[in-house]
Amino acid sequence: RSPLLASSAASDVYKRQPKDFEGLILIGGMSWRTESAKKVKPFVKIAFENKKILGGICDAAGFLATIGVLNNIRHTGNDLNDIKQWAGDSYSGEEKYILEPAVCDKNIITANGTAPLEFALEVLKALKVAPEQKILEWYNFHKYGFYEAPMPEI
C-alpha cells in the first residue's frame, strides 16, 4: 500500500508518511465524514504548510474545508450549503466557493464528485507530469471520445 492512499489507511497514515513527496490526493467517498478520517489531518496539514500539491474530490474537498484548508483559496465541492453545515466554524471561505466542476488555486485542487476527469486534469497539470498540451490531449480524448478527439501520442 502506498502511504499516500489516505482513505485506505487512515488509522496509520501519519506514522507512515513519507519524508519527501510532491502531493497528496484525497479520493472521494463518505468515509471523510467518519471519526477515523480525522487521523489524516496531520498529514494534510504538513502537505498544506509545505505548499505541496493538495487535492480533494467529492467529500474529500469537504473534509479539506473542515480543517480550514479552503478558507483563503478559490475552491469547489459537492455543495456549498453542505460544506458550511459540515465544517461549521472551521470554514470561512464561502466567498471563494466557485460553482465549477474542478478548481485549482495555488497548490490546492478541489472538485465535485461528478468531475473525476476535470479533477485528474488539474492534478496532472499541477504535478507537471507532462507538457500541458499532452495533458490536454489526454483530457480531450477521454472527455470527448475517440470520434471527437485524436488519440494522444505517448
Side-chain angles (χ1 to χ4, degrees):
R1 259 190 299 193
S2 166
L4 296 183
L5 295 177
S7 68
S8 66
S11 62
D12 64 348
V13 73
Y14 184 69
K15 292 182 238 170
R16 299 183 308 121
Q17 73 184 18
K19 300 288 186 239
D20 185 33
F21 61 99
E22 294 299 318
L24 176 63
I25 307 303
L26 306 178
I27 60 174
M30 298 298 288
S31 63
W32 293 107
R33 294 177 185 258
T34 66
E35 276 300 308
S36 64
K38 292 178 183 174
K39 295 176 183 174
V40 179
K41 182 180 174 179
F43 192 30
V44 172
K45 287 291 193 181
I46 288 169
F48 181 67
E49 289 165 2
N50 288 290
K51 297 185 179 4
K52 301 294 185 177
I53 302 301
L54 181 57
I57 185 170
C58 193
D59 263 5
F63 176 76
L64 293 176
T66 70
I67 58 177
V69 170
L70 304 182
N71 290 338
N72 297 307
I73 60 140
R74 295 177 318 113
H75 61 279
T76 193
N78 287 341
D79 179 71
L80 176 60
N81 288 324
D82 181 56
I83 289 173
K84 288 174 16 183
Q85 184 177 25
W86 179 18
D89 292 338
S90 297
Y91 179 68
S92 61
E94 180 176 357
E95 312 80 43
K96 303 243 182 212
Y97 185 89
I98 299 172
L99 272 174
E100 290 290 332
V103 174
C104 181
D105 189 11
K106 300 175 186 148
N107 58 310
I108 311 295
I109 303 159
T110 53
N112 70 53
T114 65
L117 278 176
E118 290 77 7
F119 182 65
L121 172 68
E122 296 301 331
V123 168
L124 293 173
K125 288 187 332 187
L127 290 172
K128 299 178 179 151
V129 299
E132 190 165 334
Q133 183 60 35
K134 291 291 181 192
I135 294 170
L136 290 172
E137 288 172 7
W138 169 87
Y139 171 79
N140 287 332
F141 178 75
H142 290 282
K143 181 73 175 181
Y144 303 111
F146 184 74
Y147 299 106
E148 297 288 325
M151 183 176 292
E153 291 184 30
I154 298 176

